[in-house]
Amino acid sequence: MTTLKSRLHDDLTTAIKARDELRSSTLRLTLSAIAYEETAGKTSRELSDDEVLKVINREAKKRREAADAFDKGGRAESAERERAEGEILADYLPKQLSDDELAAIVADAVAEAKAGGAEGPRAMGAIMKIVNPKVSGRAEGGRVAAEVKRLLAG
């Protein structure tokens, strides 16, 4: 079992013993998503820590989107629960990049792409290929794309 997955199991056991319903249900759903991912496809396999991290990231994104949808639908209580679940999952994710850190990484990638001959808005794909491995798991794709567009436009 990977270290991140075993940490989730240990935290689930602790949450159940402490009768923390929110944390235990969130961790159960996350472990269920991990188990589904492990058995998806033709053969079952053990996920690496990076793959487990991607599943947790995907689950956290679902919580953010659900909270926004509940807010728009006027269901503040449900939105609060989704946000609380997202905060629990955030404990297992790497620290997110600040806007300044992200801007610096993207600026370096833009300079690197320009040195390689990529110019203007068409260079977005080349820049994203450079940036994505550097920010993997530490910045959401939409944030990265917005920053790339901002730098290419300006």
Side-chain angles (χ1 to χ4, degrees):
M1 190 180 303
T2 61
T3 56
L4 187 55
K5 188 175 169 187
S6 63
R7 179 178 162 212
L8 286 167
H9 276 288
D10 294 344
D11 289 353
L12 174 61
T13 304
T14 305
I16 291 171
K17 287 179 181 176
R19 299 194 187 282
D20 186 345
E21 189 273 330
L22 178 67
R23 181 171 287 277
S24 63
S25 69
T26 302
L27 294 177
R28 274 191 182 113
L29 285 171
T30 304
L31 285 166
S32 173
I34 291 168
Y36 177 79
E37 194 72 25
E38 287 177 335
T39 57
K42 295 185 186 218
T43 58
S44 62
R45 62 193 173 85
E46 182 83 19
L47 294 181
S48 69
D49 270 349
D50 287 340
E51 292 170 319
V52 170
L53 203 59
K54 287 179 184 176
V55 173
I56 295 172
N57 212 352
R58 188 172 55 227
E59 290 296 310
K61 184 177 180 185
K62 285 181 189 176
R63 301 309 190 285
R64 286 191 300 274
E65 290 171 351
D68 290 342
F70 282 133
D71 275 338
K72 289 177 184 169
R75 297 179 57 192
E77 191 174 302
S78 297
E80 266 315 302
R81 179 169 174 101
E82 293 293 333
R83 280 193 196 88
E85 289 179 4
E87 289 174 14
I88 290 169
L89 293 176
D91 293 343
Y92 300 94
L93 296 172
K95 183 180 167 286
Q96 295 292 300
L97 292 172
S98 71
D99 290 337
D100 294 337
E101 292 170 325
L102 180 61
I105 291 171
V106 171
D108 291 344
V110 168
E112 188 178 327
K114 283 184 178 176
E119 286 284 333
R122 291 186 178 171
M124 181 144 181
I127 295 168
M128 291 297 284
K129 284 181 184 175
I130 297 169
V131 172
N132 278 336
K134 294 178 182 177
V135 300
S136 179
R138 299 185 304 148
E140 204 171 275
R143 271 184 69 206
V144 176
E147 185 63 26
V148 170
K149 285 178 186 173
R150 188 183 71 78
L151 285 178
L152 286 176

